[in-house]
């Protein structure tokens, strides 16, 4: 046991006293009692982040959509299903957090009306039209609060990664964005590995750091490093 | 070990030499590389049926949508995602089967066109219209084959259970239907227990048997009993 402990990298508890809220996984938007709209997010990246923050001493609340993962040690998990439920939980938690990380793949749209009973196939017609309405943007909502935590968002794209990510960073008022290309084989959704491009505001410019493909657990630590440095800068500026 | 063996109910291998195909779980219909339409089927009922048939000596092929269950012992599992993939696998397997059980919750509709890249939110508009087209009806397709296996379908309803089930039984040309009310708390989708109403054609009438709420594993054995008796009758009639 002693040897095993010595062999492990020493844990730096450099996030102690920080309260961190993380959203993870997909959301599911009901169409009727049995059908739903969702996406392929496995929750692995958000769970890896929750684990990394907790290991480094932070007080972590993980707001999780439906996934098959177990909550990491020392993490408070709040289970939600829809984007609306996730938004309520996120707003409540953000109010008492220093850092908010929106890692969930929130459904952009939900059904206009959720049918109370199972929709029946209309035999006369071979097509069906579904009217969807836009869901609230959780990260943008948190970023618009005042006062607000440091806000980190994610962008999962299949093309034009940096262009879309820069646009999102600015438009949604985030402090930092973690962008990844989900079209790469073996990376991103469902995979254990991921690469990422970090973009953040620094004075009047946007700075960038490319993190190569690696285990999501290692990537999580690299993201935590960058967020901690941004948080320290922001705290220093606020106290000037 | 001996005591444990003695305590177990003796296994009656009354389905030996029968080739059984079972579909199970939900299907997922892609909207784009990350989003999909699906339903809450856990696959538990279909997997319980596969296990019951295999335990009783049948040669079982389980065509499964995306679920988190492990394949039962002595069952050949074929993994599929969409309704179209499930249909191909089902047609191929039904051609060499004595009994076909459509237990999967096949999506009724799929996207008209699957976007190659992730769909972007249209900021100008707060709604989105999705055009869906009807998926092939797998059970009805198998029931329309000639020659064809004995065909058993499932109906999951939230109201008017028997009326919808009788209509499906006749309209889709099945030999038997297993109907269950998925609106009952603790039963049906995702649950370990289930109740069911069995309906089957007998001469010119429809006969019925109500199976009370019980573990899906027990319910599976009761369904196998009824299917075996129908199969024996059909074989006797065919040889008259």
């Amino acid at each position: 046991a002693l040897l095993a402990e010595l062999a492990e990298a020493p844990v730096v508890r450099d996030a102690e006293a920080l309260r961190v809220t993380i959203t993870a996984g997909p959301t599911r938007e009901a169409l009727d009692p049995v059908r739903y709209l969702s996406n392929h997010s496995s929750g692995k990246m958000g769970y890896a982040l929750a684990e990394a923050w907790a290991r480094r001493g932070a007080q972590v609340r993980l707001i999780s959509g439906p996934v098959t993962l177990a909550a990491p040690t020392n993490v408070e998990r709040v289970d939600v299903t829809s984007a609306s439920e996730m938004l309520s939980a996120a707003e409540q938690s953000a109010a008492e957090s220093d850092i908010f990380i929106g890692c969930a793949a929130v459904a952009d749209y939900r059904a206009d009306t959720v049918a109370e009973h199972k929709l029946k196939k209309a035999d006369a017609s071979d097509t069906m039209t579904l009217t969807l309405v836009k869901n609230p943007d959780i990260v943008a909502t948190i970023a618009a609060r005042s006062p607000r935590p440091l806000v980190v968002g994610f962008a999962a794209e299949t093309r034009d990664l940096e262009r879309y990510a820069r646009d999102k960073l600015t438009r949604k008022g985030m402090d930092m964005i973690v962008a990844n290309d989900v079209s790469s084989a073996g990376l991103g959704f469902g995979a254990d590995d991921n690469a990422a491009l970090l973009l953040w505001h620094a004075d009047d410019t946007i700075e960038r750091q490319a993190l190569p493909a690696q285990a999501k657990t290692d990537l999580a630590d690299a993201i935590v490093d960058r967020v901690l440095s941004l948080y320290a800068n922001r705290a220093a500026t606020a106290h000037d």
Side-chain angles (χ1 to χ4, degrees), chain A residues 4-21:
Chain A
E5 278 165 37
L6 286 172
E8 277 176 23
V11 173
V12 182
R13 292 180 64 87
D14 54 359
E16 255 177 354
L18 284 180
R19 298 161 304 171
V20 180
T21 295

Side-chain angles (χ1 to χ4, degrees), chain A residues 168-200:
Chain A
K168 266 191 188 171
L169 174 69
T170 305
R171 185 166 39 85
K172 300 193 179 184
M174 306 171 189
D175 296 292
M176 177 175 138
I177 193 163
V178 181
N180 50 3
D181 183 345
V182 292
S183 69
S184 309
L187 300 179
F189 280 13
D192 289 324
D193 285 11
N194 211 356
L197 173 67
L198 310 187
L199 299 170
W200 65 93

Side-chain angles (χ1 to χ4, degrees), chain A residues 193-218:
Chain A
D193 285 11
N194 211 356
L197 173 67
L198 310 187
L199 299 170
W200 65 93
H201 290 292
D203 300 322
D204 291 342
T205 65
I206 290 177
E207 296 201 354
R208 71 198 296 285
Q209 177 185 10
L211 298 169
Q214 55 196 297
K216 283 180 176 174
T217 48
D218 295 332

Side-chain angles (χ1 to χ4, degrees), chain A residues 10-223:
Chain A
V11 173
V12 182
R13 292 180 64 87
D14 54 359
E16 255 177 354
L18 284 180
R19 298 161 304 171
V20 180
T21 295
I22 300 168
T23 66
T27 66
R28 279 185 188 168
E29 310 298 323
L31 302 181
D32 67 19
V34 300
R35 299 182 179 87
Y36 62 82
L37 213 63
S38 193
N39 63 64
H40 293 293
S41 170
S42 64
K44 284 180 187 165
M45 191 67 237
Y47 276 61
L49 276 167
E51 192 177 351
W53 280 105
R55 201 174 53 235
R56 291 164 75 157
Q59 188 183 317
V60 183
R61 185 173 292 143
L62 178 61
I63 301 173
S64 177
V67 298
T68 54
L69 302 170
T73 310
N74 294 326
V75 165
E76 182 193 346
R77 171 168 154 179
V78 178
D79 287 318
V80 298
T81 302
S82 67
S84 302
E85 287 168 15
M86 188 173 274
L87 175 65
S88 303
E91 288 210 85
Q92 206 176 324
S93 191
E96 47 197 47
S97 291
D98 303 299
I99 293 165
F100 179 86
I101 302 181
C103 189
V106 182
D108 292 335
Y109 293 90
R110 65 175 185 278
D112 189 14
T113 51
V114 178
E116 189 193 346
H117 290 289
K118 189 179 169 192
L119 299 166
K120 307 302 294 180
K121 264 191 281 196
D123 280 311
S125 165
D126 278 343
T127 66
M128 183 170 91
T129 305
L130 213 56
T131 305
L132 304 174
V133 296
K134 213 180 273 185
N135 265 327
D137 189 312
I138 296 175
V139 172
T141 304
I142 303 301
R145 292 174 69 95
S146 177
R148 68 175 184 86
L150 184 91
V151 174
V152 179
F154 273 70
E157 303 291 347
T158 57
R159 61 174 168 182
D160 294 333
L161 183 66
E162 185 157 357
R163 182 165 70 82
Y164 283 132
R166 281 177 180 268
D167 172 60
K168 266 191 188 171
L169 174 69
T170 305
R171 185 166 39 85
K172 300 193 179 184
M174 306 171 189
D175 296 292
M176 177 175 138
I177 193 163
V178 181
N180 50 3
D181 183 345
V182 292
S183 69
S184 309
L187 300 179
F189 280 13
D192 289 324
D193 285 11
N194 211 356
L197 173 67
L198 310 187
L199 299 170
W200 65 93
H201 290 292
D203 300 322
D204 291 342
T205 65
I206 290 177
E207 296 201 354
R208 71 198 296 285
Q209 177 185 10
L211 298 169
Q214 55 196 297
K216 283 180 176 174
T217 48
D218 295 332
L219 193 69
D221 266 315
I223 293 169

